[in-house]
Amino acid sequence: MAPAPTTPSAAPGLAAAAPIETLTPRQVDNIAALGQVWGFLKYFHPAVASGQRDWDAELLRQLPAVLACRSVAARSRQLSAWITSLGPVPACSTCANPPTQPVRFAADLRWARNAKRFSAPLRQQLAFIEANRYQGTLYYVTRTGSTTNFPHEEAYIEPALPAQGLRLLGLCRYWNMFQYYYPYKYALDEDWAQVLPEMLPRFAQASTPLEYRHTALALFARVHDGHARFYPPDPLLEAERGAYQVAADVQFLEGQAVVLRVRHDGRVPTSPLKPGDVLTHVAGTAVPDLVKQRLPETGASNRAAQLNTIALNLLYCATPEVELQVVRDGQPQRLLAPAIKVGTVPPVQPPVADSMYRFLTPEVGYIDMARIKGDKVRTIMQTFSHTKGIVVDQRNYPGAFIGMYLQGFFLAKPAVYGRFTRYDPTYPGRFLWDPADTLKPVGTTPYPGQVVVLVNEVSRSLAEFMAMGFQATPHATILGSQTAGADGNTTPITLPGGLKTLMTGIGVYYPDGSETQRVGVKIDVPVRPTIAGLRQGRDELMEKAVDLITKAPMTTP
């Protein structure tokens, strides 16, 4: 069955109905049941999964009748009749066959077997469709290489605050994408089935474009995925954050927000801040209160990554000056810090001594992965060929995707570095193990020295992936602290109002099957910077790395 031609959806017109001011608990449960069945049919039923229905519009057509149901029995009859109207489901001769690859986890359809929420005839219908699910080309889900995509999802860009029906549609769309195509669904802290009814009232009642976006942020935070954020950044949220920014970087150390570095290059007004200042208040609000306010809407895989995101946004403000309170050398101080208009000053250019690669000592090399270029890798390795060790700085996001090319210079023979899972196109919700991935040597003589890789909460996604590659080489040490725990290709998601977000689309594991998502990469030598070290101008991770290399025994290829 060929996909239907792309035509404008009838959903916006159907969503124009008068909104419901307050949803009763029964209405919430009715919408949740509709959303679950709607998503199941979207990916399992042949008439829907093949793209033969305006499925967004179908949700909105069913909504009034389902909302009006006063019992589980009535609701079940309504949903059952709807399913019957889609036409017969032919028997599937291959659906019972075992998959050709090992199963990481099976589809979770416990919600569809809940006798308290669905009648026996409806449960039987759903079970039959599951057992005879669509096996053709999926209209709503595709895969390009290893990346999962959700094509044919209308953005309904205008207005910025979509009608209530479209907001509910967006929540149901998002919930079902994670229900069936999220590789780490088992790692969620809570029952995903409960998130849908819990978030429905907030999506229904959002009354401004900004409130709608904050509601979406709260939803993204529930999945604890470092990729689940607005991408690209949402203009309305950017405007709310403030048009100005203090030219300094902040990091949470020892449980406090600490000024990491201050820009002094003549391009910005002189700042009264100093590295090591502990921020206690921003514009009159205590930093712990700001953290408490922002955590529920800060999407990240772990708390370290959440605090990193909060730190990145802590010094945005609405005016060219902002009052800050700090503790410096044990004494509280009140400062008036200048702020620059966001986007008016170019990024800081690194000094020559802080380039892509350099010598830290005559026997220790350094590579900054934020500036790495594929065509420079061989030159870098030739430059460091006689050193005792190399420090690879991954406290950043790699400047280029170079695959595992750099790691190949440290290998004499192939080495397995990771295992991956991808969704099973024949069974929505099921994920299968792919064959293990292997690093390949580059050249005939591997680099014989030590490799110390620096990581922290800034190390996310590709940075974590590349750290795993280094760990598969013979003489590598991962030094630092918990990474962001968001490992795997990203999948774009579009929601009504033109909202753009992401989710992690493939599962990434160590060769032994141990986790990277949420927990981050395995740390061999735990080191966190200290406030005292920062005030002294020291890079304590770098110092420890150089010390490890210097004291390590020499190795032979």
Side-chain angles (χ1 to χ4, degrees):
M1 198 178 282
T6 302
T7 56
S9 173
L14 293 165
I20 301 169
E21 292 187 9
T22 303
L23 291 172
T24 67
R26 183 178 295 282
Q27 287 174 320
V28 169
D29 188 50
N30 285 348
I31 300 172
L34 172 62
Q36 288 172 318
V37 172
W38 173 82
F40 172 83
L41 298 173
K42 181 175 184 176
Y43 300 125
F44 283 76
H45 196 290
V48 185
S50 59
Q52 300 304 304
R53 297 288 191 281
D54 182 350
W55 204 235
D56 286 355
E58 278 295 309
L59 177 72
L60 298 173
R61 287 192 184 99
Q62 292 297 318
L63 186 59
V66 172
L67 274 171
C69 292
R70 298 187 177 184
S71 68
V72 168
R75 183 178 72 203
S76 294
R77 287 193 296 272
Q78 177 67 33
L79 294 173
S80 183
W82 178 38
I83 294 172
T84 301
S85 73
L86 298 174
V89 175
C92 175
S93 61
T94 61
C95 287
N97 295 343
T100 56
Q101 296 167 255
V103 175
R104 173 60 181 88
F105 62 89
D108 178 10
L109 293 170
R110 288 173 295 174
W111 65 267
R113 302 182 182 103
N114 189 336
K116 294 182 179 180
R117 300 185 67 238
F118 302 102
S119 68
L122 178 54
R123 297 199 308 274
Q124 291 167 6
Q125 271 183 303
L126 297 175
F128 181 82
I129 295 170
E130 178 191 1
N132 298 278
R133 58 196 173 273
Y134 179 62
Q135 297 294 289
T137 300
L138 294 168
Y139 183 71
Y140 293 105
V141 186
T142 62
R143 189 155 60 207
T144 304
S146 60
T147 300
T148 303
N149 295 301
F150 296 117
H152 309 123
E153 299 290 359
E154 292 286 341
Y156 308 114
I157 295 174
E158 298 293 342
L161 176 66
Q164 185 183 72
L166 288 179
R167 300 197 302 273
L168 299 178
L169 165 69
L171 172 59
C172 292
R173 178 189 292 178
Y174 188 91
W175 187 89
N176 281 289
M177 287 172 170
F178 273 80
Q179 171 72 12
Y180 298 108
Y181 294 100
Y182 186 50
Y184 301 112
K185 183 174 175 289
Y186 62 87
L188 299 179
D189 286 342
E190 54 197 327
D191 182 358
W192 186 237
Q194 295 304 311
V195 173
L196 182 56
E198 288 175 17
M199 293 301 301
L200 275 167
R202 290 192 61 177
F203 273 81
Q205 294 162 14
S207 59
T208 67
L210 202 53
E211 185 181 359
Y212 172 51
R213 281 152 179 78
H214 279 285
T215 301
L217 283 175
L219 174 63
F220 302 162
R222 300 289 287 270
V223 299
H224 306 289
D225 181 359
H227 289 129
R229 63 191 190 277
F230 278 104
Y231 187 83
D234 182 82
L236 292 180
L237 289 169
E238 294 278 285
E240 181 191 45
R241 184 177 64 174
Y244 296 86
Q245 182 182 18
V246 177
D249 295 327
V250 176
Q251 183 178 17
F252 278 88
L253 299 176
E254 301 172 22
Q256 302 179 88
V258 184
V259 177
L260 190 63
R261 62 182 68 88
V262 182
R263 182 168 181 170
H264 291 297
D265 61 357
R267 308 294 294 270
V268 299
T270 302
S271 174
L273 289 172
K274 292 183 178 181
D277 284 348
V278 176
L279 280 169
T280 61
H281 295 74
V282 176
T285 303
V287 169
D289 291 338
L290 289 171
V291 171
K292 186 177 180 180
Q293 292 168 15
R294 296 179 184 183
L295 278 174
E297 294 185 6
T298 302
S301 299
N302 52 52
R303 186 175 176 85
Q306 280 186 302
L307 291 176
N308 176 59
T309 298
I310 291 172
L312 290 173
N313 293 285
L314 202 55
L315 292 181
Y316 282 83
C317 53
T319 58
E321 288 184 323
V322 62
E323 182 184 277
L324 303 174
Q325 294 179 49
V326 304
V327 174
R328 180 183 297 166
D329 299 326
Q331 299 298 316
Q333 296 193 26
R334 193 182 298 266
L335 308 174
L336 194 62
I340 56 174
K341 191 84 171 178
V342 174
T344 59
V345 179
V348 176
Q349 295 302 311
V352 174
D354 192 24
S355 59
M356 185 192 308
Y357 65 103
R358 65 181 189 272
F359 285 92
L360 297 176
T361 74
E363 59 182 0
V364 180
Y366 170 83
I367 301 174
D368 184 352
M369 292 299 288
R371 302 189 181 98
I372 197 71
K373 303 291 182 185
D375 60 358
K376 295 293 185 182
V377 171
R378 188 172 291 275
T379 299
I380 292 171
M381 293 308 300
Q382 289 173 347
T383 302
F384 294 151
S385 60
H386 300 293
T387 57
K388 191 175 181 182
I390 301 172
V391 178
V392 177
D393 199 340
Q394 294 241 182
R395 296 173 292 180
N396 48 50
Y397 193 85
F401 180 74
I402 58 173
M404 293 293 171
Y405 179 54
L406 176 58
Q407 289 87 336
F409 284 89
F410 303 93
L411 291 171
K413 59 183 179 180
V416 174
Y417 72 94
R419 301 180 68 190
F420 305 92
T421 62
R422 292 179 175 85
Y423 73 83
D424 182 349
T426 72
Y427 203 147
R430 184 164 71 184
F431 274 75
L432 307 177
W433 287 108
D434 274 355
D437 267 25
T438 302
L439 297 176
K440 297 180 180 179
V442 175
T444 56
T445 305
Y447 175 78
Q450 301 294 315
V451 182
V452 180
V453 182
L454 308 183
V455 298
N456 64 6
E457 64 272 24
V458 180
S459 311
R460 178 202 303 264
S461 193
L462 182 56
E464 296 175 288
F465 181 70
M466 297 193 74
M468 291 174 65
F470 282 110
Q471 286 179 298
T473 64
H475 310 297
T477 299
I478 304 297
L479 185 150
S481 56
Q482 185 179 35
T483 59
D487 208 351
N489 292 10
T490 56
T491 292
I493 293 174
T494 301
L495 299 176
L499 307 190
K500 302 286 187 180
T501 184
L502 302 168
M503 78 174 186
T504 303
I506 63 172
V508 179
Y509 303 82
Y510 280 100
D512 64 0
S514 56
E515 301 280 349
T516 63
Q517 184 75 3
R518 301 200 64 180
V519 297
V521 300
K522 296 177 181 178
I523 307 297
D524 299 310
V525 180
V527 180
R528 283 288 286 172
T530 64
I531 297 174
L534 185 58
R535 288 172 176 161
Q536 295 164 12
R538 297 166 54 202
D539 185 337
E540 291 161 288
L541 275 71
M542 191 87 76
E543 291 175 0
K544 182 65 174 178
V546 172
D547 184 60
L548 288 175
I549 291 171
T550 303
K551 293 179 179 178
M554 289 296 293
T555 59
T556 56

